[in-house]
Every structure is written in C-alpha cells, then in structure tokens.
Amino acid sequence: MDTVARKVLPQTVRNLIRPEVYLARRGVQKLRQLSGQTGRLPDFLILGAQKAGTTTLYDLIMRHPGTAAARTKEISYFDRFHRWGPDWYRSNFPDGTALTGEATPCYLFVPEAARRIADTLPPTTRFIVLLRDPVDRAISHYFHERRLGYEPLTLAKALDAEPRRTGPDAGVLLGRRHEHRTQGQSFAYVGRGRYAEQLKRYFALFPRENFLIETSDRFFAEPLAVLAEVHAFLGLPPHTPPRVRPRNVGVYAGRVPPEILVRLSTTFAPENARLADLLNRPLPW
C-alpha cells in the first residue's frame, strides 16, 4: 500500500484492503512469470528480525546507484509462498548486473526458510540481519498485530496464550487465508526473540562470513555508519544517500505496564546470554 493511502485512509479500512492489495501484487508477478518475464536470483537477503528496522535499511540500500530493487521489499517466498515455485520468485527481481535483493523479516524465524534458501540460492549469497532488543521487539510486534486487526487480546493475555497459539497445530488466520499468515508467525512475540537458535540454523548451512549481523540500537543511532558497513559487505562502492528517514515505525510509548517489561526481561535474559556467546561479543541489551 502506498504512502498516500497510509496517511489518508483509516487503519480499519487499510486492514480490509491490505490483503487484497498484496494478493493483486503477487498475481501480477504470476502473470510476469507466465509471460516469460523472469529475472534473476537475488544477491542478498535481509533475513530479519521483524520490527528491527529492516524496511528502513532496505530502502537505504536501494538508494545506491549500483542496486536495483525487487518488485516488492517483502516477497515472502521462502516462508509463505514457496508453493509458487522458483520461476515466480525470480520474476520478482530485475534482469541485469545491478545488485539486487529482498528483505523478508520472517525468514529468520520460520524454520523451513533456511533450508529452502540453501536449496535455492547460491552459496555466495550474502545475508544481513538486524537484531533488536527482544523485549522492545516483542512489544512493538504486539502493537503491530493490534494495528493490523489480528490481535484481540491484551498484551498480558497474548503472552500467556503464545504457547498454545504458536504450537504445532497453529493454523492459518481465519478470514485472510490467501495471505497465508499463521498464528505461529503472527503471535510469536517471545518466540521471534530467540535469536540464537534462529541464527544457528543458518550458520549450519552457510559460512559465517556470509553474514553481517548488527543491532538495531546501533543502526538507529548511527544509520550512515552501519550503511557504509553494509555497502562494503555487499561489495558496493561508498555512497551517502541524501536523506535518512525511518520507515514503518510503530508507536506505543507509555502503554506497557512495568510488570510486563520485567516479565519479558526475565524471559529473555538466558536467550540474550546464548546470543552473546554465539556471536562472541557483548550485546547492548
């Protein structure tokens, strides 16, 4: 949905038309595939995490004159639309020699995505990961689901219900089946913050040097410095965009009870320790 629509239409109306817009976009790509307009495979993926600044980072990368954007930032091929096949995936990318890639933050979380990526993309593929304080990420994720109209529960009740809602029997959300969003993805507020186990899946399939892992804290504080590192990692010459503007920012300040923050901090403490050990560096959380 374009920026003008986001500013003008009420959230409830956007929630109604958003799935249809997404379906239409993917249908257009299907027509491109059927007409033989397939592009090439991406050079890089931004794997996640969700609500960690991936939209902003992708936008900044695509301002480099040596890059060419995918048809849409989040293609969701390796998690939700894998059944559409590799030709459809390629149709989302341009031809030519310019660097291209996509950013689907569910790829880091969905277990099947890592193996599908390894089976489809060359071993030279580069991966970028932004990791946000899992407490802040979980809260931002919850309010994101509320805005989209998926989450009817209070934050405390949603955290209580997460094991049941994200278990092996978690199904597609009713009423929006063509989005192929499952409860296991939408309601994994704590699950998505278990970064160490998610990264290990990828480290088992690709060399560690294929990964650039940065924290959202540093990206939000020093976006141009992080962007320069990303350019170097991708083999792009230095380039400074004329403007840095955060994208897809949620607002929820002052709405979280202190006991929820304590609960989440306690939950994530051992997870953060495992992540620091895996990355062999301290974390800012």
Side-chain angles (χ1 to χ4, degrees), residues 259-274:
E259 59 270 22
I260 294 292
L261 297 176
V262 172
R263 172 181 177 176
L264 287 172
S265 296
T266 302
T267 297
F268 283 121
E271 301 290 342
N272 292 339
R274 280 190 281 272

Side-chain angles (χ1 to χ4, degrees), residues 6 10-16 18 51 132 139-152 176 189 248-253 255:
R6 290 180 185 277
Q11 183 69 50
T12 53
V13 175
R14 298 204 301 268
N15 288 346
L16 288 174
R18 183 189 63 256
K51 308 308 295 179
R132 184 178 180 180
I139 295 168
S140 180
H141 179 183
Y142 167 79
F143 284 105
H144 176 71
E145 298 296 334
R146 292 280 290 183
R147 284 192 301 274
L148 296 183
Y150 288 109
E151 179 56 86
R176 300 175 185 174
Y189 305 118
N248 198 26
V249 178
V251 178
Y252 58 86
R255 300 169 63 185

Side-chain angles (χ1 to χ4, degrees), residues 59-60 63-65 224 227 239-245:
D59 178 64
L60 289 175
R63 294 190 203 181
H64 193 290
L224 292 181
L227 181 62
H239 174 75
T240 301
R243 182 178 57 165
V244 176
R245 180 172 59 88

